[in-house]
Amino acid sequence: MKNWPWAILAPAVIFVLIGIFSPWIMTHDPAAQDYGALLQGPSGAHWLGTDYLGRDMFSRIIGGARTSLVAMAFVLMAALAIGVVIGSFAGYVGGKTELVLISVIDIALALPSLVIALALMGVFAGENFSWMSDYWKMIVALTLAWWANYARMSRAVVVAELQQPYIEAARVMGASHIWIFTRHILPHVLGLVVVYASADAGALVLAIATLSFLGLGVAPPTPEWGQMLVDGMSYIEENPALVIIPGLALTAVVVSFNLLGEAFALQKVPRAVRGRFLARKKAARAAEEAARKEVEA
Amino acid sequence: MQRMFMRRVGLALLLMLAATALTFWLVTAAPGNVAALIAERAAGAGADGEMIAKIADDLGLNDPLPVRYARWLGDALTGDFGVSLRTGKPMAEEFAERIPMTLALLAGGGVLALVLSLAMGIAGAASNGGIVDRVLHGLALVGASTPNFFFAAMLVIVFSVWLGMVPTFGVAGLTSWLLPWITIALFPASVLARVVRVNMQDTMSRPFATTGFAKGLTRSAVLLREALPNIAIPYMTTFGAQFTLMIIGAIVVERVFGLNGVGAFFIEAIRFRDFIGMQAILTLFVVFFVSINLLVDLLAMLADPRLRRPRKA
């Protein structure tokens, strides 16, 4: 962790802070319409101008950060929990149960996650589901589309870890399944899955925006970047800023999470799952360092 | 070898069956009354219970789910995917009209991603830590993080609104295909460029690369003759995965540029709750996704003998 590029954390942390404190940062009510100030450019009253309903763009961008952040956090935690439980259970018990669970996971991975989420949004539009708000429909749809990746990964880690001799040693010493699982297996699973989730956060923010962009995500009064962008498309010739501002906000967040994920992957992935490439790269770096020290000495 | 091939093909077929059964269950059982929806579409608010019951009976909607799935599957295998609730046209007809558009989008985007990623990856490896390498790394990161709909909007703003070079919406001639192709290729090209770059670096540290240098080959000769063939398998695997993910790109791109492809139809089907259309398109997507993955696996098995051995549990 010594050489860890801490600065890389900054953009992601700023996004999270803006999301948490958005009600205090917003200068206007993001849903308040002002027909006296339509499609204005930046000014003292409206820092980033106004949209086609006279809503304050700055407040909508800040509010949109919270919409994305909350949805992303819910989906990530739920998908991670479901995936880890199903995946590691399958890997640990083995046999027929494992076969059945793997089949379920494979079926869930037979389509791109976003296509599944889109189809589920269509299903949830039926009257049977009218008790859920659009926001929660989106969160549930994304969770159901997202868990399988985590399940597959968790199972792979468990299967690999179970072959380690120390597991057998623990068993010989009379450790219970619960003990072995929670003390020895689970930390390995979480180690990998959390690293993956940090990179996945960007993909999820993107998915949320894509759903709204396609008109199947968050409903209009709630500020959301994808929604703002698609609304702005109608005014692309008069006022391209309506498209550019939410687009840049979205890109900045995704870039920062991807940077974070890359930094994590290069520095912190547990030994058990580190790829050949990373291992070799690290070894090469260590050798380089040793050589340099030798020269210095 | 042959047995492994057949096994993979069989598994893929099973997967297609299971996935379409699941989507069938979700799409037809969950949203409630399809017959009421059809009656509503046909007769407006005047649809009464009798009419709904008759439609349900005609369509066999009162039969148990497995029977209905079996019937749907039988029809689908003969190319009959039902009649779209939204457009009133048979889905087979919609497919015939729309699949060529989407395939052209995917093919053009795929070729562009292939060329761009190889060029960027090899240029990066040739520069190895230099300025070109770092700039390309940054570009690939931003390219993989930019939402494709935002990228498309920016292309429209720059080339249509500011420069007036191409029409904003619709396709007319080759130039109007360019923006959709570039948009759909952006993400896969960025991801693949990283794969090429990372695997090149990996390969260049192998003994056979050193041997190449020892034989007096130049760095670019070693890169192209020794390293490049060795990245074929990881490249192919990732290319397959990225190519299947281009379904999502197609959905977004068709919507932004107003193209009448399969993806645009899918979104319309979802919004109008056209469950027959949804099921047909999802089936198409499952077949596409699973068969591309199968193809990549089989090609990898052909290329790498280690994968042909049955894996130990």
Side-chain angles (χ1 to χ4, degrees):
Chain A
M1 293 297 278
K2 221 203 260 165
N3 301 330
W4 219 76
W6 288 103
I8 273 173
L9 271 175
V13 169
I14 291 172
F15 167 63
V16 172
L17 288 179
I18 289 178
I20 293 172
F21 296 107
S22 64
W24 292 277
I25 302 173
M26 288 190 285
T27 52
H28 295 66
D29 175 358
Q33 304 176 0
D34 179 0
Y35 292 99
L38 302 182
L39 295 168
Q40 285 189 345
S43 65
H46 301 286
W47 295 348
L48 293 176
T50 57
D51 70 0
Y52 66 107
L53 292 172
R55 294 176 293 195
D56 180 53
M57 284 294 281
F58 175 73
S59 304
R60 288 184 70 70
I61 289 287
I62 299 294
R66 167 173 269 195
T67 312
S68 296
L69 176 72
V70 173
M72 182 263 279
F74 269 116
V75 174
L76 214 50
M77 284 189 293
L80 202 148
I82 296 172
V84 167
V85 167
I86 293 185
S88 45
F89 181 71
Y92 195 86
V93 296
K96 286 216 177 81
T97 320
E98 184 182 20
L99 203 63
V100 170
L101 288 174
I102 291 178
S103 311
V104 173
I105 294 169
D106 276 347
I107 293 169
L109 290 171
L111 276 173
S113 304
L114 199 66
V115 171
I116 298 177
L118 282 169
L120 286 172
M121 286 309 282
V123 171
F124 289 162
E127 55 266 36
N128 311 6
F129 296 95
S130 52
W131 49 273
M132 271 196 289
S133 75
D134 280 358
Y135 194 52
W136 282 101
K137 281 177 188 170
M138 183 183 76
I139 288 175
V140 174
L142 281 170
T143 305
L144 289 176
W146 233 257
W147 65 273
N149 277 314
Y150 289 94
R152 184 166 62 173
M153 212 180 319
S154 308
R155 181 193 153 265
V157 181
V158 173
V159 169
E161 207 55 34
L162 278 179
Q163 289 169 352
Q164 298 283 330
Y166 77 88
I167 298 289
E168 203 162 331
R171 201 158 283 158
V172 170
M173 290 197 304
S176 68
H177 285 303
I178 302 277
W179 178 270
I180 291 176
F181 184 74
T182 53
R183 287 301 169 116
H184 296 305
I185 308 274
L186 200 57
H188 283 276
V189 175
L190 289 179
L192 171 70
V193 161
V194 168
V195 166
Y196 182 78
S198 71
D200 207 24
L204 209 46
V205 169
L206 205 53
I208 292 164
T210 306
L211 283 180
S212 302
F213 178 84
L214 295 171
L216 293 164
V218 182
T222 316
E224 206 287 330
W225 294 340
Q227 173 85 44
M228 292 171 70
L229 209 151
V230 74
D231 282 350
M233 289 293 278
S234 315
Y235 302 89
I236 201 164
E237 306 204 359
E238 299 101 296
N239 196 352
L242 293 185
V243 170
I244 297 175
I245 294 170
L248 282 183
L250 191 54
T251 310
V253 169
V254 180
V255 168
S256 60
F257 276 114
N258 282 353
L259 272 175
L260 189 65
E262 196 172 273
F264 264 140
L266 288 174
Q267 302 281 332
K268 245 203 106 203
V269 180
R271 181 183 44 81
V273 289
R274 209 187 283 138
R276 254 187 353 180
F277 162 65
L278 292 177
R280 193 170 298 139
K281 188 167 176 181
K282 204 153 195 190
R285 203 182 300 146
E288 221 175 63
E289 201 127 289
R292 209 179 48 224
K293 271 185 194 140
E294 211 163 296
V295 171
E296 280 167 10
Chain B
M1 168 91 178
Q2 233 162 8
R3 267 190 56 208
M4 283 294 287
F5 262 65
M6 294 318 289
R7 214 178 104 84
R8 280 292 294 129
V9 174
L11 277 176
L13 288 176
L14 266 181
L15 187 58
M16 284 184 199
L17 265 186
T20 53
L22 185 73
T23 55
F24 187 81
W25 171 68
L26 266 177
V27 165
T28 59
N33 206 330
V34 177
L37 274 173
I38 297 175
E40 212 176 285
R41 299 268 151 79
D48 51 14
E50 202 177 314
M51 187 174 170
I52 293 172
K54 189 179 175 314
I55 289 173
D57 207 44
D58 284 352
L59 292 177
L61 294 177
N62 299 323
D63 296 334
L65 197 64
V67 176
R68 287 161 58 195
Y69 175 69
R71 194 162 48 214
W72 173 85
L73 186 66
D75 287 347
L77 287 176
T78 59
D80 175 10
F81 289 92
V83 177
S84 162
L85 296 180
R86 185 174 70 88
T87 63
K89 280 202 279 183
M91 280 311 295
E93 238 172 79
E94 295 282 357
F95 277 169
E97 278 171 29
R98 290 162 184 274
I99 289 180
M101 168 74 82
T102 304
L103 274 186
L105 195 57
L106 292 180
V111 170
L112 200 57
L114 183 87
V115 173
L116 274 179
S117 64
L118 283 176
M120 284 173 72
I122 294 173
S127 150
N128 195 23
I131 183 92
V132 176
D133 191 17
R134 273 184 256 166
V135 168
L136 286 176
H137 181 193
L139 274 183
L141 179 78
V142 173
S145 309
T146 308
N148 42 16
F149 50 86
F150 175 51
F151 186 70
M154 285 309 295
L155 288 178
V156 169
I157 289 173
V158 172
F159 290 103
S160 300
V161 180
W162 290 349
L163 301 177
M165 280 162 56
V166 280
T168 317
F169 298 106
V171 278
L174 189 69
T175 44
S176 54
W177 275 102
L178 278 178
L179 297 192
W181 278 341
I182 295 172
T183 309
I184 204 172
L186 174 73
F187 185 79
S190 306
V191 173
L192 285 166
R194 285 285 288 154
V195 171
V196 174
R197 175 72 190 89
V198 165
N199 283 290
M200 281 282 209
Q201 185 169 33
D202 191 27
T203 322
M204 288 301 276
S205 63
R206 300 273 188 89
F208 61 73
T210 318
T211 312
F213 285 121
K215 283 194 295 189
L217 295 176
T218 58
R219 189 174 162 78
S220 50
V222 176
L223 269 175
L224 294 179
R225 281 173 48 184
E226 314 282 343
L228 199 56
N230 275 284
I231 66 164
I233 290 174
Y235 185 83
M236 200 170 61
T237 315
T238 320
F239 187 84
Q242 288 302 319
F243 191 69
T244 53
L245 285 181
M246 277 166 68
I247 293 178
I248 294 167
I251 293 173
V252 169
V253 166
E254 284 173 15
R255 204 157 159 75
V256 176
F257 291 103
L259 309 178
N260 271 324
V262 175
F265 189 92
F266 183 54
I267 296 300
E268 290 303 305
I270 294 172
R271 297 181 114 188
F272 286 81
R273 297 170 60 205
D274 170 5
F275 299 113
I276 293 173
M278 263 172 82
Q279 171 67 11
I281 303 271
L282 283 172
T283 306
L284 189 70
F285 284 172
V286 167
V287 171
F288 175 75
F289 198 78
V290 175
S291 32
I292 296 283
N293 282 337
L294 173 69
L295 191 69
V296 169
D297 278 5
L298 294 184
L299 284 176
M301 276 160 70
L302 271 180
D304 187 347
R306 282 170 299 181
L307 297 176
R308 276 179 233 150
R309 262 184 259 132
R311 235 182 300 166
K312 272 180 278 174

